[in-house]
Amino acid sequence: MSGAPGQFTGGFNAELLRRNRFCMGVKRGREYVCSGEAGEDAVNKAVDFLVEAINRIQHWRVWETWWIEETMDEWLEARDRLEVQLRGGKYSEDIVNAITGGLVDKFINYNERFLNYWRDVGNETRRLIDNLMNGRAEVIIRGEGASGISVHSEHITLETDRTSTSIPVHLVLKGLEGVDVEVPDFMMMMNKEEYTKFVKTLRSLRIGFAETDESVEKGRPVMGTNQTWQVIFWSLLYPGEIRVHINTVNVNVNNMTVTWYLRSSNHKSLKGKIKDADVDKFSDEEV
């Protein structure tokens, strides 16, 4: 690992963070902007968020590219494993090539685009932290009870929020365009035996995702995930055009991940439509 991170050090004076401008935020469009000065209690909570975020960002040296290169290796390994599994399942050569080379390689190519993007803008994270530690930033406090903060820069917005169990730290990205990926209709390539087996699996997985991790946007199924296997398998459920976008870097305690945003353009969401239905009676077309 070329950029192996060090240990959490906390090697800065948290009091210096109070030199920044703190304000209460209001949402304008998709972003929060300042709407008024923050009270002492809100500032104290915001400083705690900043300490956590800065420690993690410095620990992982987020501005470097080692973690994206590791993600690329994970994608290549996933493609190789998938190819072995598919050939072991006796799917045809056309199907195996369509999934591994025709689909998975498109995600790998987009991950490479993200790598090039980060080479250009990654150091902005370093400058953002430097501005915070030298009192030159504007910290927007969000939510009831000061439950989160936003710090904007040109291409990156630092966001933290408090949940019941953790403090997620995110870098929300600007300027990285998404791509449209065409997912082949694998059922058109299958013989009768393969088709029967695939449709049964397809039905179960599509309904399972719809009732759990999936969300809905304008009636279309949408998935946000940081797991490689979910990106691949969710895409396989929705042949046709899928909009693909990496929109967030997750700076976790134990690792670094990105969030893949996936939206089907050709299918309607099943979310909430099958709660009381007999799943086995859904036709192939309905599923």
Side-chain angles (χ1 to χ4, degrees):
M1 182 167 62
S2 60
Q7 297 296 315
F8 285 110
T9 60
F12 65 93
N13 184 350
E15 288 302 310
L16 295 176
L17 298 177
R18 296 179 180 276
R19 298 179 182 177
N20 294 287
R21 185 203 172 192
F22 293 86
C23 63
M24 301 306 298
V26 61
K27 199 165 189 179
R28 293 282 185 267
R30 295 186 177 183
E31 292 188 348
Y32 280 85
V33 298
C34 283
S35 65
E37 294 303 312
E40 186 64 21
D41 183 58
V43 171
N44 289 338
K45 292 179 180 179
V47 168
D48 289 342
F49 283 131
L50 290 172
V51 170
E52 181 69 21
I54 291 171
N55 271 331
R56 290 191 205 175
I57 289 170
Q58 289 184 326
H59 166 72
W60 291 119
R61 298 209 290 270
V62 171
W63 50 86
E64 297 179 358
T65 61
W66 64 268
W67 56 276
I68 307 176
E69 292 161 1
E70 286 197 345
T71 301
M72 183 72 76
D73 290 340
E74 180 184 329
W75 271 98
L76 295 172
E77 290 170 5
R79 183 187 62 188
D80 293 344
R81 287 196 306 270
L82 185 58
E83 182 172 2
V84 170
Q85 291 167 354
L86 290 173
R87 294 191 191 282
K90 299 181 180 179
Y91 285 105
S92 71
E93 189 79 11
D94 287 344
I95 293 174
V96 175
N97 291 337
I99 293 177
T100 57
L103 179 62
V104 178
D105 278 356
K106 293 176 183 177
F107 292 118
I108 292 173
N109 291 340
Y110 185 68
N111 198 73
E112 189 167 355
R113 180 187 293 191
F114 171 60
L115 173 61
N116 292 329
Y117 164 88
W118 198 250
R119 285 176 175 142
D120 291 335
V121 308
N123 271 327
E124 193 175 303
T125 307
R126 204 172 197 170
R127 293 193 295 272
L128 186 152
I129 296 304
D130 184 65
N131 286 337
L132 281 168
M133 294 176 65
N134 287 280
R136 298 192 295 263
E138 180 179 80
V139 181
I140 302 171
I141 301 173
R142 301 183 279 103
E144 186 176 349
S147 59
I149 61 169
S150 295
V151 184
H152 299 302
S153 61
E154 184 179 359
H155 296 95
I156 296 168
T157 295
L158 169 64
E159 292 188 351
T160 71
D161 296 274
R162 185 180 298 279
T163 71
S164 59
T165 58
S166 64
I167 299 177
V169 176
H170 305 297
L171 301 174
V172 181
L173 308 178
K174 300 177 185 176
L176 176 64
E177 295 296 326
V179 294
D180 293 319
V181 170
E182 189 69 24
V183 181
D185 188 346
F186 301 104
M187 288 187 286
M188 299 296 292
M189 307 177 190
M190 295 178 177
N191 60 39
K192 185 175 180 180
E193 181 182 354
E194 290 173 332
Y195 179 89
T196 301
K197 180 169 60 175
F198 189 80
V199 165
K200 184 176 181 181
T201 303
L202 177 70
R203 177 184 289 111
S204 300
L205 287 173
R206 189 177 289 178
I207 291 171
F209 273 121
E211 289 303 298
T212 53
D213 298 337
E214 210 172 85
S215 56
V216 184
E217 182 180 294
K218 297 180 180 179
R220 302 298 185 185
V222 172
M223 172 65 78
T225 180
N226 58 26
Q227 299 185 58
T228 301
W229 73 268
Q230 275 197 337
V231 173
I232 297 171
F233 285 109
W234 189 89
S235 300
L236 290 172
L237 303 181
Y238 294 102
E241 187 178 271
I242 289 181
R243 186 65 176 174
V244 176
H245 188 205
I246 293 176
N247 55 12
T248 306
V249 174
N250 309 301
V251 190
N252 306 313
V253 173
N254 297 318
N255 61 8
M256 294 279 302
T257 63
V258 297
T259 296
W260 291 78
Y261 169 86
L262 310 167
R263 179 182 183 273
S264 172
S265 302
N266 305 113
H267 296 267
K268 294 181 179 179
S269 173
L270 294 177
K271 197 173 191 70
K273 297 180 180 180
I274 54 179
K275 184 176 180 181
D276 300 316
D278 185 345
V279 169
D280 291 333
K281 292 182 179 179
F282 274 80
S283 69
D284 298 346
E285 290 76 15
E286 287 173 313
V287 175

